[in-house]
Amino acid sequence: MAEEVKLLTTWSSPFALRVVWALKLKGVQFDSIEEDLSNKSPLLLQYNPVHKKIPVLVHNGKPISESLVILEYVDETWRQYPLLPDGPYDRARAHFWAKFSDDKVSPSIWGVFIKQGKEREEAFDQIFENLKFLEEELKGKRFFGGEKIGFADLALGWIAERVCVLEEIIGVKIVEEEKFPLVSAWMQEFVKVPIIKESLPPHEKLVTKIRGIREKFLGAA
Amino acid sequence: MAEESVKLLGYWASPFALRVKWALKLKGVHYEYVEENLPNKSPLLLRYNPVYKKIPVLVHNGKPLAESLLIIEYIDEAWKQNPLLPDDPYERANARLWAKFFDEKCVPEVMGAFASKGEEQEKAAKARENLKMLERALEGKPFFGGDKIGFLDIAVGWIGIWGRIVEEIAGVSLIDAETMPLLTAWLNNFLEVPVIKACIPSWHELLEHNKGFHKILTGSST
């Protein structure tokens, strides 16, 4: 049966990257459609009329948006390489850490990235508090998913993929190894996984782009 | 088989705790309800939910879970009777997407209208615009879940009560029968379902409680 899997994406989106990782881990063939977010295509507006954002997965003509919802759909549709564990409680915990990533970790790291002075110090306090929870969760585990990467790893993976870029731009360490040895080790292990490594966006191009975003933000403040 | 222990840490005036109560009741799960004396958070709550420090928290055989929508999905997986989410992965994704849309795009707008002093009409207009979009998920069905109540119904349903409270206190319109006929009809059906109706707190008490809240949020004296 011919299956059509399309992913509306951008090369630099950490949310789209989550979906790319999931599809590749499962060995699902898909077409990538690069979107220009400053000039959204009719296709994107048709497939995601509510949010008008990427990533959007289109499976046999049916669109799904929101990266974590897509991840779950991918896991339920293609059963090889399960991303979520079997038991309901462990599944709920994986979802919890994924939500924590977007609710708390992401805004706190973005906060440090765009703030300065005293506001940045306060943002660091937020990050440390959030990282402490992740450090605790990683005790006795190589990945959040256990021995192999799973749903929570893919959700939190942007930390491993992107924090070094942010650190390079602001010239300050955000995740210090002495303070968070387990999170640091996880970050290094995660990007070494072949499928993760081969999907990383080009480093210099990413640095340039994100530096530009930061300058725009600081200029507008 | 070992005896099962199910505890729900909640707050009587919380719509998020109500969602979880609805899920448990629909599944016929027996649970012990523990009322948190908010804003004073108990050591138990802080131990069970150190990350967010909020209710609701479900504790099943000693294992805690937080975040209402996650809890409801857990309940659906742990107790198989009366399924809340459909079987089909695409339909499940849609239910989750709309619940996320509601929590991220409708609720903050409603809260914004409630907490505003001076901008409530503009914020309410935005809230109405987003609430209207939910009608796409109804698609001529009696409930979001189809013929019977499902995940999305219990995720969104509380807006029928709290929405009216915000309308009364803030003097805005949120759920307009003329422009949102499907949503209005659905709410009227949903809130009359016996299991749903039985869990709803007293209107008068909720109103008084939220009037107090409104005073604090808007810094008003009346």
Side-chain angles (χ1 to χ4, degrees):
Chain A
M1 186 173 81
E3 191 166 57
E4 195 192 55
V5 183
K6 278 195 263 223
L7 181 66
L8 277 66
T9 183
T10 65
W11 68 271
S12 58
S13 162
F15 302 103
L17 202 45
R18 287 170 168 171
V19 181
V20 167
W21 288 334
L23 292 168
K24 286 194 172 182
L25 283 167
K26 290 190 179 260
V28 176
Q29 299 297 315
F30 65 98
D31 285 321
S32 232
I33 300 174
E34 183 76 14
E35 279 289 324
D36 173 5
L37 294 182
S38 62
N39 185 18
K40 294 178 184 182
S41 73
L43 205 67
L44 174 57
L45 300 176
Q46 180 207 336
Y47 282 141
N48 190 1
V50 173
H51 297 287
K52 306 177 178 54
K53 285 182 179 177
I54 57 95
V56 179
L57 186 81
V58 189
H59 184 206
N60 294 335
K62 293 185 187 172
I64 303 125
S65 59
E66 297 296 298
S67 59
L68 295 182
V69 176
I70 298 173
L71 241 54
E72 199 158 7
Y73 174 83
V74 167
D75 205 35
E76 289 177 3
T77 303
W78 294 281
R79 312 294 275 167
Q80 63 276 24
Y81 197 106
L83 299 172
L84 282 163
D86 280 327
Y89 186 74
D90 291 333
R91 293 163 72 85
R93 293 298 288 175
H95 281 300
F96 179 83
W97 292 114
K99 192 167 194 286
F100 178 67
S101 168
D102 286 359
D103 281 352
K104 296 275 192 183
V105 187
S106 180
S108 66
I109 289 189
W110 180 248
V112 146
F113 186 61
I114 58 167
K115 287 178 180 155
Q116 291 172 304
K118 185 147 200 308
E119 278 193 331
R120 187 203 268 187
E121 274 173 46
E122 285 162 3
F124 263 112
D125 290 338
Q126 248 334 107
I127 290 185
F128 294 155
E129 196 174 304
N130 293 333
L131 289 176
K132 267 191 234 158
F133 289 120
L134 294 180
E135 188 78 10
E136 184 66 32
E137 183 60 22
L138 277 169
K139 278 193 180 141
K141 296 199 286 195
R142 194 169 156 222
F143 297 111
F144 289 99
E147 272 310 297
K148 319 188 292 174
I149 60 179
F151 189 89
D153 297 279
L154 297 190
L156 290 156
W158 63 271
I159 300 172
E161 180 259 330
R162 198 133 306 196
V163 160
C164 55
V165 171
L166 307 181
E167 287 172 340
E168 190 176 321
I169 294 170
I170 63 173
V172 177
K173 202 91 175 101
I174 298 174
V175 183
E176 289 176 69
E177 198 167 333
E178 315 82 64
K179 285 198 173 96
F180 304 105
L182 297 179
V183 174
S184 300
W186 167 78
M187 285 166 70
Q188 286 163 41
E189 286 290 315
F190 184 79
V191 293
K192 270 196 228 156
V193 173
I195 282 192
I196 304 299
K197 191 173 181 181
E198 78 189 31
S199 318
L200 296 177
H203 184 83
E204 283 312 315
K205 197 176 170 192
L206 195 60
V207 169
T208 306
K209 173 162 186 169
I210 296 181
R211 181 175 278 132
I213 293 175
R214 181 169 188 259
E215 274 158 21
K216 236 184 176 175
F217 244 89
L218 294 178
Chain B
M1 191 159 94
E3 221 178 79
E4 193 162 54
S5 128
V6 184
K7 229 190 288 220
L8 173 64
L9 275 67
Y11 181 60
W12 72 274
S14 160
F16 302 101
L18 183 56
R19 283 172 163 172
V20 178
K21 274 190 208 167
W22 280 337
L24 290 167
K25 291 279 187 191
L26 283 165
K27 296 265 182 185
V29 174
H30 293 289
Y31 65 97
E32 181 198 337
Y33 178 73
V34 178
E35 175 79 5
E36 278 289 313
N37 184 23
L38 297 182
N40 303 310
K41 296 177 186 189
S42 73
L44 199 70
L45 174 58
L46 298 177
R47 175 160 63 96
Y48 281 144
N49 190 4
V51 174
Y52 293 102
K53 306 176 179 56
K54 286 182 179 178
I55 57 94
V57 175
L58 187 80
V59 189
H60 185 199
N61 294 334
K63 293 185 182 173
L65 278 171
E67 298 297 291
S68 60
L69 294 181
L70 295 190
I71 296 173
I72 295 169
E73 284 218 37
Y74 172 80
I75 290 170
D76 204 31
E77 291 181 11
W79 292 278
K80 301 290 196 188
Q81 65 277 23
N82 199 15
L84 300 173
L85 275 165
D87 280 326
D88 174 65
Y90 184 68
E91 287 177 45
R92 291 162 74 86
N94 273 323
R96 288 172 182 136
L97 275 171
W98 282 114
K100 197 168 197 276
F101 172 77
F102 176 71
D103 273 6
E104 291 175 6
K105 301 285 178 185
C106 299
V107 174
E109 304 294 343
V110 170
M111 286 307 298
F114 183 62
S116 171
K117 200 176 181 184
E119 286 182 345
E120 52 269 31
Q121 296 303 332
E122 292 92 326
K123 294 194 190 249
K126 185 68 194 166
R128 280 197 302 277
E129 196 183 305
N130 289 349
L131 285 167
K132 169 82 186 158
M133 283 201 226
L134 288 172
E135 290 197 326
R136 295 184 204 196
L138 274 170
E139 298 165 340
K141 300 177 289 186
F143 299 108
F144 287 109
D147 287 324
K148 31 179 224 143
I149 298 175
F151 176 82
L152 189 53
D153 298 278
I154 57 180
V156 177
W158 61 270
I159 203 67
I161 309 143
W162 272 260
R164 295 285 179 229
I165 285 179
V166 171
E167 285 176 344
E168 185 158 330
I169 296 174
V172 295
S173 165
L174 290 172
I175 300 157
D176 175 41
E178 251 184 69
T179 57
M180 302 172 197
L182 297 180
L183 205 65
T184 308
W186 162 73
L187 273 172
N188 292 339
N189 286 335
F190 176 76
L191 295 173
E192 284 303 312
V193 172
V195 160
I196 299 300
K197 195 170 181 177
C199 298
I200 298 171
S202 134
W203 168 265
H204 175 77
E205 282 175 32
L206 265 180
L207 190 65
E208 288 312 302
H209 170 80
N210 281 290
K211 274 184 186 165
F213 222 177
H214 186 249
K215 270 188 217 164
I216 297 169
L217 286 170
T218 59
S220 44
S221 52
T222 45

